[in-house]
Amino acid sequence: MIRVGTERPNALLFTGGVGALIDLPNMSVIVRGLDAWDHEKSQLTDLTEPRLLRNVRAVLGRQVAALRPAPYLERAPGEKPTGDHARVGVPVTPFPRWMRCSRCSMLTAVQTDGMSGAFLFRNSNPYKPDEARFVHENCPQARQAKVKPSALPARFVLACKDGHLDEFPYVDYVHRRKPCPAGVDGKLQFHDPGLNAGSAIMIYCSCNARRSMADALKHHRDPDREILPVCRGRNPHLGAFEAAGCGKTVRAMVLGASNQWFSIVARALYIPDQSSALNEAVTRHWPKLASVESRADLDGAVKYADELKPLKDFDLDKVWAEIQRRHDDVPGEAEDLTEREYHALSDPTQAAKGDPDYEARIVTAVPAGWQPLLRRVVAVTRLRETKALLGFTRIDAPEYGEVDPDSVQRAPLVRSGKPTWVPAAITRGEGIFLHLNPDTLAGWEAVAEASPHLDNLRRAHRQWRENRAMNGPHHDYWPGDRYLLLHTLSHLLIREIALECGYASASITERIYGATRDGRAEAGILLYTAASDSEGTLGGLVRLAQPDELGRILHAAFSNARRCSSDPLCGDHAPIDSEDTLHGAACHACLFASETSCQRGNRFLDRRLVVPIDAVEPKLDLLHHLGGLPGSA
């Protein structure tokens, strides 16, 4: 095993997890399945978040026993760069294996061992793993060169909607599925004119065959032409093919395409168990208690393990009963974790003081003039979020990006069977919770219920699901009119807060509480930032919860929402069946946020719901129900 680069823990959940292609400085690699991850020498322990683990088990099965961080071992003082720490990490393998010489444009596949064939693996400096690369040792245009030219990944792969990924069939493609003439040893070349257009790339063979990549990139629009083969069911991250094959239409994709990998992530905020101190104590010490199998084991653990000494304050019979209950817990359907979070954030006075992972306080007053919008503002000075990877998709993103076992085809994380653990990460930080006025929202919803514009958005959502053959009735997955309003307001606030708090907008995450089913009438927005550091963040976001600061931010958010640099195209946009979109007046210039910020992949957004853009539906915007912008003449 050779270290070839580094990656942040959160990136392994959102951009470069199991099955994802990662671009390193000189090569492209794919993250291998969980079977290949080795935690034996890792110094990190399993993560504790029982509510999240229960939801993961509801989706993947009760055999899932742990949420684990990526393997990591800190380099010991004086240890060589090739020591034990260099062999602990996330396993990857080169993919695609088809590469081209950067000097002579020769196109061929690297051998499995990397030590034979035309392209050879080299890493002469163990202190700089990012310099690992493949070289064309016998390049005809660099025979006398001291530094051999690098072999770079060929730019194309094949993918299908079931999550399979495969090498691009260059030989068959350039010859149109015919062999080279007899006696000709065909050698391929990959010519990129550098026009930043994949369709301009040409593949040549020494037998005089040639073909542009334009046909391949259009194949998914007209699969009947049989330009590319059907999917073979390959999972390169697992080193295996599906036994039954696949047979679905493939799509040629460029390396680095944003739709080559979409993570399915479950997440939960840590909320103290306010109903039982014993349950909370068991939760906090669960990494140690999970392995306790008898009452006698519990007595010994509490007696000899220093970190379990606080349990002496409780009746150990009751502690053992709680441990048994958790071991025997049979997961049902995934629960909505936001309900408990919403109640805790709405009334933080019930939480115990001094919790190192959760602390919130009510701000003394809401900003002047904003009482019709806000009932309460809560400054969350400490919070902890745990995230777990459930799987991934290719080409089409999951509708919600979270726990949703029915709407997407998840690619497997392990080669056979089901995973017994999933990758997870913890971040700590701070946030602002806005408890909105439910009476104002109810008045807005009465107008939205009969709005033709909202009806168009609902129909667009129904068509969007039908286009992807997603299971379940449309109304079960429509987030609700209230959600669209809160989601749009959240994105407007993220843009304004990023200008003030010292964090980039990509570092600010939203959590929308807008459920209106089953007797719930939630009305809250949590905007928070978090870091993997154990101390969390620096307080720049919480400071903005003060009335004067927040009032100024709200005023700017509503004022700036009236205009967009892409108007009138943005303001006039309405989803229609042919466009296959789920947003109204929204674009990258006004509302769209980064993947790490938005819960819904920049869907369900519309400025028209917050401020008046035109006179078509004059009472549809929230500003009308607030009686105008506070502080404006």
Side-chain angles (χ1 to χ4, degrees), residues 297-315:
D297 288 347
L298 176 61
D299 289 338
V302 173
K303 182 177 181 179
Y304 295 108
D306 290 339
E307 57 267 42
L308 296 182
K309 293 293 177 62
L311 293 179
K312 290 183 177 180
D313 298 334
F314 300 95
D315 184 341

Side-chain angles (χ1 to χ4, degrees), residues 528-550:
Y528 63 99
T529 186
S532 55
D533 186 90
S534 60
E535 298 301 321
T537 49
L538 302 176
L541 185 56
V542 167
R543 177 181 60 84
L544 299 182
Q546 298 306 311
D548 291 343
E549 299 281 359
L550 184 57

Side-chain angles (χ1 to χ4, degrees), residues 31-72:
V31 180
R32 298 178 63 184
L34 300 184
D35 307 292
W37 293 40
D38 185 2
H39 284 82
E40 184 177 351
K41 294 183 179 180
S42 176
Q43 67 186 55
L44 303 180
T45 59
D46 293 348
L47 307 181
T48 303
E49 187 55 69
R51 297 189 306 133
L52 179 60
L53 180 58
R54 180 179 175 83
N55 266 16
V56 171
R57 297 175 74 189
V59 176
L60 299 182
R62 65 173 304 173
Q63 79 288 338
V64 178
L67 309 174
R68 290 182 180 167
Y72 175 76

